[in-house]
Amino acid sequence: LGNGGSTLHVLRCLEEQYGDQWTSFTVLVIHSGGYSQRLPNASALGKIFTALPFGDPIFQMLELKLAMYIDFPRHMKPGVLIACSDDIELYSTGVTETITFDKPGFTALAHPSDLAVGTTHGVFVLDPSSFSGKGGLEYVSCYRFLHKPDVETMQQSGAVCVRGDRPQLSSSGNRGDSGMASECVYTDSVFYIDHSTAKQLLMFYKQMGTLRCEIDAYGDFLQALGPGATPDYTKNTSNVSKEDSGLVEVRQQLYSLLQGTALNVIVLNNSQFYHIGTTQEYLFHFTAESKLRFELDLQPVAFSIFPDTAKTLDQLSIMQSILEPGCVIGPGSVIEYSRIGPEVSVGKGSIVSGCYINFNVDIPSNCFLSSVSVKINDRVEYVTMVFSVGDDLKKSVKLLSDIHSLQFFGASLPECLDLWSVEASDQLFSSEDTRLGLWTARIFPVCSTLSESVRMSLNMLNSVQHTSAFKLSGFQLLSVEEMLTHKDVEDMLKFRKQIHDEICLQRRKEKS
């Protein structure tokens, strides 16, 4: 459905459940986070349930979102506030300034960002007559909205502002020199749709019947708004994850429906937008000396059993995990919801999620390791995906002859398949629509225990790193795509709860 389609679906559910009552509701819609191909440890349970390295017991993204938006409902007319689950917006406003969502049409929050950030986000072209760039908070009308524009487009359309001589937070988190004027654009995050506009969208959804394409709430709703909107974007499918027939037509219908609707922007000059939707951003914000880590007081060890004898440096993030004396965790690594035995060493900049490792092993640097419980023929089994944190799980090719361009931990996929005695054929990939990539490659062995599944996947990786054979024949193999189809969330939560209870027990013992 895409996050636009799912928004429309939510409106329909509200109407079905509450009838006319919903006209008086203020609704918060948070998209829990799609396939999460760039941060796959969030794929099975959803990005909104990502663990954060603070709180006791640990906070998830959901709690942080509710805390950030806690003041909004009081200053909000009936309508819907739409938010993503992999970003954090921190802002400060003057004592007398309030963020109010009460205008007809759409109202969006905007944050000053470097031009580079603008290329991967939505950018507002603000109406210069209503905008001064002064103060913490300004209500501005928006001329048009650009979705992931290149720098040239931003400059030509008048989206680039020069920030004056006041010290300002830049997106890298450094305070700019106060004497320097720097270029910035205002980028999107959360937006609000008033009730009557939401109702129009719902009517549109009901008339359409079944959706046959992904709709993006940002690109496909916001690009239709403001007096400067043109229908050109409806034909541009370069940012679409899955090109469906009918997308252009649906966009054109949405454009006709929303054209002329106001886009109001609340500019938060003293604000900071953080995105943690990729392995690189996740590792940086949780383990490096990042501004976000300082602002939220993120802890190196949060709600975990971490003995003094476990060797480590400060730059790391351990969340709801049990580490046994003797294990070694390299700097810049994140461990969540895992049990790590005494003979385990983890290299630098790695992510270990949902794993039980009770054997002697050296996990290399930049390794991504994440276990998923799956239910196959009514039996709970385990599969562990292993990649390099830099591997591109979104990349796919159409032909079998092109799979050499897919990289697994620095080796080409055919080289890896040779080492694992796996045949490269169409049956190797799980996707019907000939998308051949790491996401759809059936290469991960299904095992009857969690620790065995981690061991097998690390053996696969070891064979690639040392160019030594490790036969996968005899195992049932799944792709990441299939792991998510068969995922058993209940069993994954059970494992997390065992860790939680053990940590609580240990603490009670220490206190007594």
Side-chain angles (χ1 to χ4, degrees):
L1 283 177
N3 54 25
S6 60
T7 302
L8 298 175
H9 179 69
V10 164
L11 299 181
R12 185 158 159 189
C13 293
L14 284 171
E15 193 191 50
E16 281 171 5
Q17 196 156 343
Y18 297 102
D20 288 344
Q21 263 185 297
W22 89 281
T23 55
S24 63
F25 288 177
T26 48
V27 180
L28 171 61
V29 174
I30 309 177
H31 298 292
S32 70
Y35 294 128
S36 192
Q37 289 173 302
R38 295 179 302 166
L39 188 64
N41 51 319
S43 296
L45 279 87
K47 285 182 188 175
I48 193 61
F49 304 110
T50 300
L52 297 172
F54 67 117
D56 192 78
I58 211 146
F59 286 125
Q60 293 178 326
M61 195 59 141
L62 181 58
E63 281 95 355
L64 182 60
K65 289 269 160 186
L66 295 175
M68 289 189 301
Y69 306 151
I70 199 162
D71 293 329
F72 291 172
R74 264 184 295 183
H75 309 284
M76 200 170 177
K77 282 192 170 164
V80 183
L81 186 75
I82 293 175
C84 282
S85 52
D86 59 3
D87 57 25
I88 296 171
E89 301 86 27
L90 302 181
Y91 58 90
S92 63
T93 54
V95 182
T96 55
E97 299 173 319
T98 52
I99 293 176
T100 307
F101 299 102
D102 61 354
K103 294 186 172 65
F106 287 69
T107 303
L109 299 185
H111 313 272
S113 300
D114 293 349
L115 270 56
V117 174
T119 59
T120 55
H121 289 274
V123 172
F124 301 104
V125 181
L126 303 173
D127 174 4
S129 64
S130 66
F131 176 55
S132 72
K134 305 247 186 314
L137 182 150
E138 263 190 288
Y139 288 85
V140 187
S141 60
C142 181
Y143 177 68
R144 64 180 286 213
F145 174 85
L146 310 169
H147 188 55
K148 301 186 179 177
D150 54 37
V151 173
E152 198 183 354
T153 307
M154 290 188 252
Q155 284 164 335
Q156 286 170 350
S157 54
V160 179
C161 306
V162 175
R163 278 193 271 197
D165 51 10
R166 62 186 189 290
Q168 185 68 54
L169 300 175
S170 72
S171 63
S172 58
N174 305 324
R175 284 191 171 274
D177 297 336
S178 52
M180 294 275 290
S182 63
E183 286 189 324
C184 78
V185 286
Y186 285 91
T187 53
D188 63 341
S189 63
V190 181
F191 68 90
Y192 161 86
I193 309 175
D194 79 313
H195 184 77
S196 66
T197 311
K199 202 159 182 173
Q200 273 182 290
L201 283 166
L202 175 59
M203 296 293 291
F204 166 79
Y205 183 54
K206 289 199 269 210
Q207 283 160 6
M208 278 198 55
T210 315
L211 263 191
R212 304 206 180 282
C213 57
E214 282 189 24
I215 297 179
D216 179 20
Y218 292 81
D220 297 341
F221 294 171
L222 301 183
Q223 281 186 107
L225 309 175
T230 66
D232 301 350
Y233 73 89
T234 57
K235 296 188 178 68
N236 173 11
T237 53
S238 61
N239 283 316
V240 179
S241 59
K242 212 169 165 181
E243 239 182 277
D244 299 279
S245 60
L247 177 63
V248 173
E249 194 188 333
V250 171
R251 280 183 175 174
Q252 286 166 343
Q253 291 171 335
L254 273 168
Y255 176 75
S256 326
L257 174 79
L258 294 172
Q259 198 191 357
T261 306
L263 176 53
N264 310 291
V265 174
I266 303 175
V267 172
L268 297 170
N269 274 311
N270 199 18
S271 71
Q272 191 65 52
F273 173 94
Y274 297 96
H275 188 253
I276 49 171
T278 69
T279 50
Q280 258 73 20
E281 291 167 333
Y282 177 81
L283 287 167
F284 171 71
H285 287 305
F286 283 10
T287 69
E289 290 302 307
S290 72
K291 194 148 190 310
L292 177 69
R293 195 174 179 185
F294 167 74
E295 285 176 336
L296 287 180
D297 194 24
L298 302 180
Q299 300 296 308
V301 178
F303 191 67
S304 293
I305 295 176
F306 188 79
D308 302 337
T309 47
K311 298 186 192 58
T312 176
L313 290 136
D314 175 49
Q315 289 180 307
L316 83 171
S317 182
I318 312 283
M319 297 175 276
Q320 194 165 323
S321 293
I322 296 172
L323 281 73
E324 291 191 37
C327 69
V328 182
I329 310 296
S333 287
V334 174
I335 313 284
E336 61 162 9
Y337 300 122
S338 294
R339 288 172 177 271
I340 309 285
E343 303 173 306
V344 178
S345 79
V346 178
K348 297 178 187 173
S350 290
I351 296 171
V352 177
S353 174
C355 294
Y356 176 32
I357 314 178
N358 59 351
F359 47 91
N360 182 342
V361 67
D362 294 335
I363 296 170
S365 294
N366 309 316
C367 177
F368 176 88
L369 193 67
S370 177
S371 299
V372 178
S373 308
V374 291
K375 209 169 215 171
I376 297 172
N377 304 329
D378 275 346
R379 277 186 49 194
V380 179
E381 307 210 62
Y382 301 90
V383 194
T384 299
M385 58 181 103
V386 64
F387 295 107
S388 154
V389 291
D391 285 345
D392 184 354
L393 272 61
K394 276 193 159 184
K395 181 176 176 169
S396 66
V397 295
K398 293 226 163 77
L399 301 170
L400 211 51
S401 53
D402 291 335
I403 64 167
H404 57 84
S405 68
L406 301 170
Q407 292 274 312
F408 175 91
F409 234 105
S412 77
L413 187 58
E415 287 174 57
C416 301
L417 297 173
D418 278 350
L419 293 167
W420 302 328
S421 309
V422 174
E423 195 194 335
S425 69
D426 289 330
Q427 280 66 54
L428 175 67
F429 296 92
S430 58
S431 190
E432 294 103 69
D433 56 358
T434 64
R435 292 167 78 86
L436 317 177
L438 293 183
W439 188 256
T440 56
R442 295 183 166 125
I443 52 176
F444 298 111
V446 178
C447 300
S448 55
T449 67
L450 183 52
S451 68
E452 196 54 22
S453 116
V454 178
R455 187 199 294 265
M456 288 307 134
S457 293
L458 287 171
N459 283 345
M460 285 169 64
L461 174 56
N462 186 53
S463 97
V464 171
Q465 287 202 301
H466 297 99
T467 346
S468 58
F470 174 68
K471 281 200 164 83
L472 282 178
S473 43
F475 283 100
Q476 181 183 357
L477 301 175
L478 294 187
S479 66
V480 181
E481 181 180 60
E482 288 173 317
M483 287 183 207
L484 299 183
T485 318
H486 296 292
K487 67 181 179 183
D488 185 338
V489 169
E490 222 167 298
D491 190 72
M492 293 176 76
L493 293 178
K494 194 169 90 182
F495 179 65
R496 291 183 179 192
K497 180 145 186 358
Q498 284 168 355
I499 292 176
H500 171 277
D501 293 349
E502 202 168 314
I503 292 168
C504 292
L505 186 68
Q506 170 97 353
R507 297 210 167 163
R508 282 201 295 276
K509 278 185 192 160
E510 281 168 10
K511 273 191 183 146
S512 62

